[in-house]
Amino acid sequence: MKVGFIGLGNMGSALALAVSKTEGVEVLLSNHNQNQAEKVQAQAGGRILSNSELVQQADVIFLGVKPHVLFPLLKGLEDRLQHHPSAVWISMAAGISLEQLSQHLPASQIVRIMPNTPVAIGQGMTTYALINPELAAVTEQLLSKSGQVKQVEEKLMDTATALAGCGPAFVYQWIEAMMDAGVAHGLTADDAKYLAAQTLLGSAQMVLNSSKHPAQLRQEVTSPGGSTIAGVVKLEKEGLRYAILSAVKAAIKRTKELGRKTK
């Protein structure tokens, strides 16, 4: 299977590297910056082609360009698209719906995905939506080396984007704040980073491995009158929960705006 990537930014290059590890796949690369394409090729292998050459040869094409660039790109490839109607198109452009994509591509051949940056280390969370259920298998196969993959309804993709796609940035902010707290009270930056990151990693794994609600797991850490509950009360007082709710809401709103701006 020949799998092409148009656009090799942080997300496109990370997915190209993950997909290149799939057995039986040849990676084709295209990017406006030749140096970046060569850098990705050095890690993922494959061939560097122009957009038109890639579209003619690839069985599956990942679109890793910004939302405002996507439709001008597809318009410029209209002649080539007609010669390869069986190609599967996988878009990772935030806010761009399947309906919008189907104005330029065959609706039965489109998948909309939203990965997050941990795909670079095989620990990503990618959500996807599609019209043709027959494309689910190939989508999950190609993304299997990138981490976890989950299909969601199209109407929930903007929410999934805000939660999982934008979520790493919120988590990094939490780790950074925990580091600062540790340093403020005597830990070295390296030790504080290690303690904060491993605490997050272990706690997240507990949530995934347990059937308990996160609230119950939190209660199991908070002894009556102890230090943990003192910190929990302070977080509630300072509005941590509301801040997270607001951040996700703002990210959803912006994702929808990005989709509308391309119309």
Side-chain angles (χ1 to χ4, degrees), residues 51-215:
N51 288 347
S52 58
E53 290 171 334
L54 187 150
V55 169
Q56 285 182 296
Q57 297 184 37
D59 302 302
V60 179
I61 302 160
F62 281 83
L63 297 167
V65 299
K66 298 293 184 183
H68 69 278
V69 175
L70 181 57
F71 294 134
L73 169 72
L74 293 177
K75 188 170 181 61
L77 293 171
E78 281 180 349
D79 293 340
R80 302 294 184 185
L81 300 181
Q82 297 173 4
H83 297 294
H84 201 172
S86 63
V88 176
W89 297 80
I90 301 180
S91 169
M92 60 186 88
I96 304 300
S97 68
L98 292 171
E99 181 181 358
Q100 289 172 281
L101 290 166
S102 65
Q103 296 172 15
H104 301 266
L105 299 166
S108 63
Q109 299 300 107
I110 306 169
V111 182
R112 176 185 173 187
I113 71 170
M114 180 46 62
N116 62 18
T117 53
V119 300
I121 59 169
Q123 293 293 329
M125 181 67 250
T126 300
T127 52
Y128 73 94
L130 39 70
I131 296 171
N132 179 2
E134 294 182 2
L135 299 183
V138 68
T139 300
E140 296 197 8
Q141 176 193 359
L142 290 175
L143 296 174
S144 63
K145 301 296 185 181
S146 70
Q148 299 300 312
V149 184
K150 184 173 181 58
Q151 183 176 357
V152 300
E153 295 180 58
E154 160 83 16
K155 65 182 181 180
L156 297 176
M157 276 297 292
D158 289 341
T159 300
T161 295
L163 206 65
C166 304
F170 308 153
V171 172
Y172 298 145
Q173 281 186 286
W174 181 90
I175 293 175
E176 184 181 9
M178 289 287 279
M179 282 179 62
D180 288 344
V183 171
H185 294 278
L187 289 174
T188 66
D190 285 344
D191 284 349
K193 181 175 73 171
Y194 183 76
L195 291 174
Q198 180 57 42
T199 297
L200 177 66
L201 182 64
S203 301
Q205 197 61 56
M206 282 280 286
V207 171
L208 292 175
N209 290 355
S210 173
S211 60
K212 299 176 182 178
H213 191 280

Side-chain angles (χ1 to χ4, degrees), residues 20 26 29 38 61 75 95 131 151 176 214 216-217 225:
S20 71
E26 178 188 4
L29 307 169
E38 292 174 355
I61 302 160
K75 188 170 181 61
I131 296 171
Q151 183 176 357
E176 184 181 9
Q216 184 176 351
L217 292 174

